[in-house]
Structures are given as C-alpha cells and as structure tokens.
Amino acid sequence: MIFDSLLGLFSSDLAIDLGTANTLVFVKGRGIVLREPSVVAVHAESKKVLAVGHEAKKMLGRTPGSIVALRPMKDGVIANFEYTEAMIRHFFQKVHNRKTLIKPQVIIAVPSGITQVEKRAVRDSALSAGARYVYLVEEPMAAAIGVGLPIEAPSGNMILDIGGGTTEVAVISLSGIVYSRSVRVAGDELDEAIITYMKRKYNLLVGERMAEDLKIKLGSAYPLPQKKTMEVKGRDLVAGIPRTLIVSDEEVREALSEVVAVIVDTVKTALERIPPELAADIVDKGIVMAGGGALLGGLDVLLREQTGLPIIVAEDPLSAVAMGVGKTLEHLDLLKQVAI
Ligand SMILES: Nc1ncnc2c1ncn2[C@@H]1O[C@H](COP(=O)(O)OP(=O)(O)OP(=O)(O)O)[C@@H](O)[C@H]1O
Ligand SMILES: [Mg+2]
C-alpha cells in the first residue's frame, strides 16, 4: 500500500483517447483530466503552434491568411504527423505532474481497422512528444471496457462506437475481439451531409461548425416526439451575401439519412457475419452504443427497429474509450490481455 502510493508520486502514466474530433487524457489515480477538441492552430509561415484544443477550435474557418487552424486527425488516424505530435505534446504538458521527472508510459486507443503504418505513426508521435513507452489498445475494446461490459466472459458482447471519423462495431469475448468492422463514416460525414444538403436545397453555404451545431441541436435518425426548428446562418451562393433561414428537424433528418443508412448497414453486416453462438448472446444482451454519434437523436430507436435487438446507449458515450484505456492503466493484468 505504502509502496503503491510512493510509486504514485513518481508515475505520471497516461491513457489517451486520440480521437478525430476529441482528445481525452486519463491520468492514473485522477481519472479523465483533459477533454479537448483535436484541433491545432499554427502560424502559416513559421509553422509555430499558436493554439490547441478549445481555443483552436474557435478559430476553425475564421482564420486570416497568416494562421491555419486544422484537425490533424482524419478518419480516426493521423493525417498530419507534425501537428498531431505538437497537439499531444501540448496536452502532455498540460496534465504533467511537475513533481516527476520520469517520462510517462502512455496507453493510446486506436481504431481497430488501422494499418501497421498508421499504428507506427501513432506510436512515434507519442514517443517524440515525450512518452517513455507506448501501448496501443483497439478502440472498440477500450469502449467495451469503459462501459463496463464483461469482456473476459466466454460470451459475446457487442459494442458500436460512432465517433467523428470512424464507426466501429465489434464483438468481444474472452478478452479478445472476435469480429470487428470499421468504416470511415461517422460524425464528420454527418456534418458534410448537412453542408451538401443546405447547398443543394437553399444555395446556402454553411461552415463546418454551423453544420455540427445543427446536427447536435436538431439532428435525428428517427422522427422526434416534438418538432424543432433552428436558425441557420451562412452565405447565399447566388447573391453572395450572408443569409439566415429557418431549418426544421425533418429537413436535417433527410440530410442525414444516407449516412445514417451506412451506419445501420455496418451493424447489420456485422450481425450477419458473427458466429451463431455469439449471435445468440447478442440477442439476449443487445448492442451497447458509445462515441459522440450515439447521442444522435433517435438512432437507438432506428437501430432497435432495424435489428430487432435491445440497444443500450452508454451512460457517457463521449468518455467510454478514455474510461476504458484508463482502466487498463490501473489494471496492468487487463492491459496485458488487451494491448496489441
Ligand atoms: N448530441 C450529439 N448528437 C449527434 N452527434 C454528436 C452529439 N454530440 C457529439 N456528437 C458528435 O460526435 C462526434 C465526436 O464523438 P467522439 O468524441 O466519440 O469522436 P472521436 O473519438 O474524436 O472520433 P473517432 O473515434 O472517430 O476518432 C462529433 O462528430 C460530434 O459532432
Ligand atoms: Mg473515438
């Protein structure tokens, strides 16, 4: 016990959910201490990092020529190595325990569909940002642990994680992923679908942030119990001037429907491919949904209707993966079972 707490003073080990939309950091013994958008703002010429996280997200789409605000992760993987590293370094410094000089061991959640090259990029970026050692855990496994599924049992557990860049569905039994399927269609594509719809129907160009706002406040996959509308601001592509119009939940639902159908199909395909014994387990236990996309209004209802299975939305879908990798940080025997 005494040794444990002494060791705790020295160790600043971290677990990270390095997501396309959000990065969360879990510190051993402290829980989730950081939750920020995965956005970096840099000086266009000197490439100096000017802002990271919340501060940088406010700049998206609003920068003068001298500043570039960008999202270094795309489709769940690193799109820009340099800025991902800068982002991780910034977050490390923010949560760093100044009493320790030891570099942290870091556990990072990565999408299940990622290539060797992409894995190496994640590992290298954390190492050059100051990690001593890097473990990787697959996101659906982390999400399943995070929501408290009995992953060690000889029984199928199905998890569906809809993030910003990827939708992942996996069946886990005996601490292993028995089946997984990952498609690079998730929250970002829902936002893009709204942008396309507004352009086509109203000749109105809306920004990424406005589109996301519409999705979160008005978006749904299934008719809502009560009608909602929202004011949308953008630039009229014909007149070339700013314009405001009112959009209904029904219109947003129509805009999102194609992308939602891809997500539903991903789940159905998974159900068709899993071994029968595990399928039988899932008929009883259903599917647990995590990731920010799980919060899309009525998506659970639609999935229930389309699959006939119980659908459970995790209590805190945005924290599931970070809580899961955090648990492996605190239970090294579990980490040994699930690290890749
Ligand atoms: N209430 C909501 N309704 C619909 N979508 C939402 C809601 N809240 C957040 N989102 C969306 O969830 C996504 C972010 O979820 P999350 O943080 O789980 O993704 P991520 O882990 O960063 O991405 P990935 O796992 O794909 O790398 C964003 O696209 C965001 O717009
Ligand atoms: Mg995620």
Side-chain angles (χ1 to χ4, degrees):
M1 277 297 280
I2 291 173
F3 275 126
D4 271 359
S5 50
L6 270 179
L7 275 175
L9 270 184
F10 296 112
S11 94
S12 51
D13 294 345
L14 314 170
I16 304 181
D17 171 8
L18 184 61
T20 304
N22 300 298
T23 297
L24 282 74
V25 180
F26 184 111
V27 176
K28 198 168 168 178
R30 289 166 58 199
I32 295 174
V33 297
L34 182 144
R35 190 190 289 273
E36 300 227 26
S38 307
V39 185
V40 184
V42 296
H43 193 273
E45 264 172 38
S46 68
K47 306 276 185 257
K48 191 172 165 264
V49 174
L50 302 173
V52 177
H54 291 296
E55 217 185 311
K57 188 170 182 182
K58 283 190 219 138
M59 301 182 185
L60 271 182
R62 294 199 171 109
T63 50
S66 59
I67 301 176
V68 187
L70 51 87
R71 295 174 51 191
M73 309 281 301
K74 192 173 173 5
D75 298 334
V77 296
I78 295 178
N80 182 312
F81 186 84
E82 199 183 336
Y83 297 137
T84 302
E85 186 207 310
M87 184 175 79
I88 299 177
R89 185 186 299 278
H90 177 91
F91 291 150
F92 274 6
Q93 281 163 357
K94 227 172 156 175
V95 303
H96 189 61
N97 172 2
R98 277 166 232 283
K99 274 182 261 170
T100 149
L101 293 172
I102 308 174
K103 285 184 172 183
Q105 298 204 69
V106 177
I107 305 173
I108 304 182
V110 294
S112 58
I114 97 175
T115 65
Q116 289 300 334
V117 175
E118 289 166 340
K119 271 182 216 159
R120 159 134 351 130
V122 171
R123 190 168 276 153
D124 288 352
S125 67
L127 289 172
S128 43
R132 172 171 92 245
Y133 194 86
V134 179
Y135 297 92
L136 302 179
V137 173
E138 287 174 289
E139 269 167 20
M141 179 62 88
I145 295 171
V147 302
L149 287 175
I151 59 138
E152 287 162 83
S155 167
N157 296 286
M158 192 167 201
I159 183 99
L160 169 65
D161 177 359
I162 308 165
T166 54
T167 293
E168 298 188 70
V169 53
V171 177
I172 294 164
S173 170
L174 294 166
S175 306
I177 293 182
V178 182
Y179 174 89
S180 78
R181 191 175 174 82
S182 172
V183 291
R184 295 184 174 193
V185 172
D188 288 344
E189 279 68 24
L190 292 170
D191 301 347
E192 274 159 33
I194 291 178
I195 295 175
T196 308
Y197 181 91
M198 296 303 291
K199 215 185 284 175
R200 249 191 234 145
K201 184 159 179 191
Y202 295 110
N203 271 314
L204 189 76
L205 189 63
V206 298
E208 252 176 69
R209 297 204 49 201
M210 177 57 83
E212 184 183 22
D213 216 35
L214 255 179
K215 174 187 72 178
I216 291 176
K217 298 206 179 109
L218 214 58
S220 58
Y222 201 85
L224 301 170
Q226 71 236 45
K227 301 260 164 269
K228 286 195 216 167
T229 57
M230 193 177 134
E231 213 174 67
V232 181
K233 297 192 179 85
R235 178 159 55 86
D236 189 307
L237 284 167
V238 179
I241 50 170
R243 183 154 71 106
T244 305
L245 52 88
I246 306 286
V247 178
S248 71
D249 63 292
E250 204 177 333
E251 290 177 291
V252 179
R253 191 159 51 249
E254 189 188 325
L256 300 178
S257 62
E258 266 178 48
V259 179
V260 167
V262 173
I263 295 172
V264 172
D265 270 349
T266 305
V267 176
K268 282 189 175 167
T269 309
L271 290 169
E272 282 164 19
R273 307 236 167 119
I274 52 180
E277 295 291 350
L278 295 170
D281 296 338
I282 290 153
V283 169
D284 295 335
K285 296 198 276 188
I287 306 172
V288 178
M289 278 209 282
L295 295 167
L296 182 68
L299 183 56
D300 53 339
V301 182
L302 180 70
L303 279 167
R304 207 168 290 139
E305 190 182 273
Q306 295 279 315
T307 63
L309 298 173
I311 307 288
I312 304 107
V313 180
E315 206 175 299
D316 182 1
L318 287 159
S319 307
V321 169
M323 288 304 290
V325 272
K327 261 186 220 171
T328 68
L329 191 62
E330 293 181 332
H331 302 276
L332 293 178
D333 48 327
L334 182 62
L335 176 64
K336 271 185 213 135
Q337 288 174 48
V338 301
I340 51 172

